[in-house]
Amino acid sequence: MSKAPTKEMKKRLYVWIFCIGFGILTILDLVNITKYALVNNEEFQAMANDSQFGSTTVEANRGSIYDANGQIFAQSATVYSIIVDPYKLSQLDNIVTNPETGKTEYQRQLDTAAEILTDELDITAEDVKNAFAKTEYQWSLVRKDVEKPVADRILKRANASDLAYNLIYTDTDTKRYYPQGSLAAAVIGFTNFEGDGAYGVEAYYNDYLKGVNGKIISATDGKGQEMPYKNDKIYDAQDGSDVYLTIDRTLQHYAEKHLEQAVNDNNAQNRGCAIIMNVNTGAILAMASTPGFDLNDRNSIYAQKDIDLLAGITDEEEYNAQYAALREQQWKNKAITELYFPGSVFKVVTGAAALEEGAVTLNSTFHCSQVIQVADTPIHCWARYSHGSQDFTTAMTNSCNPAFIQIGQALGSNAFSKYFEAFGLTEPTGIDLPGEADSIYVHAENMGPVELASCSFGQSNKITPIQMITAYAAAINGGNLVTPHVVSKIVDPNGNVVMTADTSVKRQVISEETSAKMRQVLEDVVNNKGGSNAYIKGYAIGGKSGTSEKIDKYNETGIENLYVSSYCGFAPADDPEIIMLVMIDEPSALDQNGSLMYYGSVVACPVVSNTFKEALPYLGYYPEYTDEELEALGVTVPNVVTYTVSSAEATLEKLGLECEIIGDGTSVTAQIPEQKSTMRHGGKVILYTEKEFEYDVVTVPNIKGMTLSEVNTTLTNAGLNFKTGDGAASHAGSVAYTQNYAEGAVVQRGTIVEVTFIIKDEG
Ligand SMILES: [Zn+2]
């Protein structure tokens, strides 16, 4: 690291009020002489301009913020203020007259200054004239935040002209830039007007980033009068250190892209958040709140519903209050500052605790008859049917509430509370970001049978998403509770590492043996019954969905159907490296039948699977397909163009594909789908045999909500082929969720439509 020698002089507006009298010229001459004498020393020149008396702060340069791969997320740069000296110009009045033009020297210099400044800055000659109007000042600001090349050109032109010395001069200031814009904005945070961190990493690590300001102290004489410049003492500024995040820009981008999609698709009324963490170290690889904001334009409001809300307010005072509240809300890091009922994702904690205590085993059976009586209270399963008799893994797959109430009962309220604390849910995780919220939970002494029941399936205790993912990580990483963190190290301007993240294990919560069981159970949850929505061909994924009702908000407002939909998945399932939690707050979109889509498996799970699909290859994990998956991947269509019709037919037949011949030619002139496309076994290739022909076209039907066999029939009847994307195609209860060609699109007959399937239930 080079140590920049810049000594930022705190800019001060010095108002010179002189008595009209004999001494005035003498003082000004002294000032000017000083300036001339120190012309080559920028630092002293600035001081001569700014502060003849007392001590002057020399600002330290603020350190930069980098991601895990050295990409810049925040940096400071010097910007320039363009300043003119009206007093100096005023002294020129009528001193010299240009005989050729008849202008006074005053007018000639004003014109020259105006020519330079209007050329280089977006201002008028009138603006320049106004800047020179207050003739008692030596400092009049023309423009601030000017970039260096422009400031340099202005000074160069001023020096090349015969303007009075320093009639135009510059002062420096510092501006904070966020080159990644909105990416990870709630984590990075920003600085306030004073240049101190106000939010996020900028605030939490402010002491490291800001450095130590220096000082120039002027000596004083026997009467306490300062003696400028003669005996100054200079304390150099110590520049701030650079902060390196654990955040990986690429993973952050993947997470934000898919989170934003889900927040929009589900019309989330209270934002959404996502966290990707290394399960073994607690390093946060991505953390997002959506809608977010651009760090370079953080005062704007970004969520459309907030913009609409503000547009409807006419009272100015009310508008300003609402604007401030909404802006504050959009700046908040949802993953750490807000509490929620984790719902069924919490069953991972209950299950791990019960297995560890020996209260249940993987072979224990639990019965669901749709409703279970707890003390005097009937508690329903989320399903509108009974799950019947289930072992532990099936109960987790079904996400059966009565089963987990029985698991909670087997554990008991004391043991439940002991593990709740051990998993770190009674205290903040200690993540290195400001504003982490404290959980609200039922204490053991207040936990009756009904409370224990609802606690067991995650509907009574309110925790933060960062607490949930950290507890879940402990359940599957060998039992170790780690400290989540966003900064890996801090490096001072001399290149010394002055802080490294503590990645040590806080405590072991469950045994490696129990943790291994949980990994297997959660992998089975994803793979069971033909694959869940988290299933990705070629990868071993573990995961659990959650859907919680915002009972407290309902009690407060009477608004029904407010849910938090979440999903927490990890990979690779047998030896996990990453874990991702996604939470969508108050989804409000309806499906094709007009029903609210709110299950975590439907709303939040696609964010995890779509992100993993990109993140795992990026992290060096490549898919390994089973025979079944290879079968499902389909057939790669070969090229049969120029083949004779009979050899084309034979080639396709051997691959399990049908064909349809169009025209009377003897050889193939075109084929749809084209070579190298993949499609389902049994699909049909359209072969054209004439030299002159027009492609048949068909209209894509809507297949959303259909089962696999309905999709097959509908698309085949429409003259189309299809293939299935990742997700739950062969699951008994799955339905088509997305199609890559929209309903009504006109495409060539034989085109392959890619369809993804989703299971529309909590499991
Ligand atoms: Zn059930």
Side-chain angles (χ1 to χ4, degrees), residues 687-708:
L687 302 178
Y688 294 90
T689 60
E690 305 282 351
K691 284 206 173 79
E692 304 269 324
F693 69 95
E694 279 188 14
Y695 284 107
D696 279 359
V697 292
V698 295
T699 304
V700 178
N702 180 19
I703 44 92
K704 224 179 164 183
M706 290 182 181
T707 63
L708 182 65

Side-chain angles (χ1 to χ4, degrees), residues 101 130 136 179 188 239-240 380 426 430 456 524 587 633 695 698 742:
T101 62
N130 290 338
E136 72 271 32
I188 307 301
D239 287 343
H380 290 260
T426 59
S456 298
D524 289 347
L633 282 176
Y695 284 107
V698 295

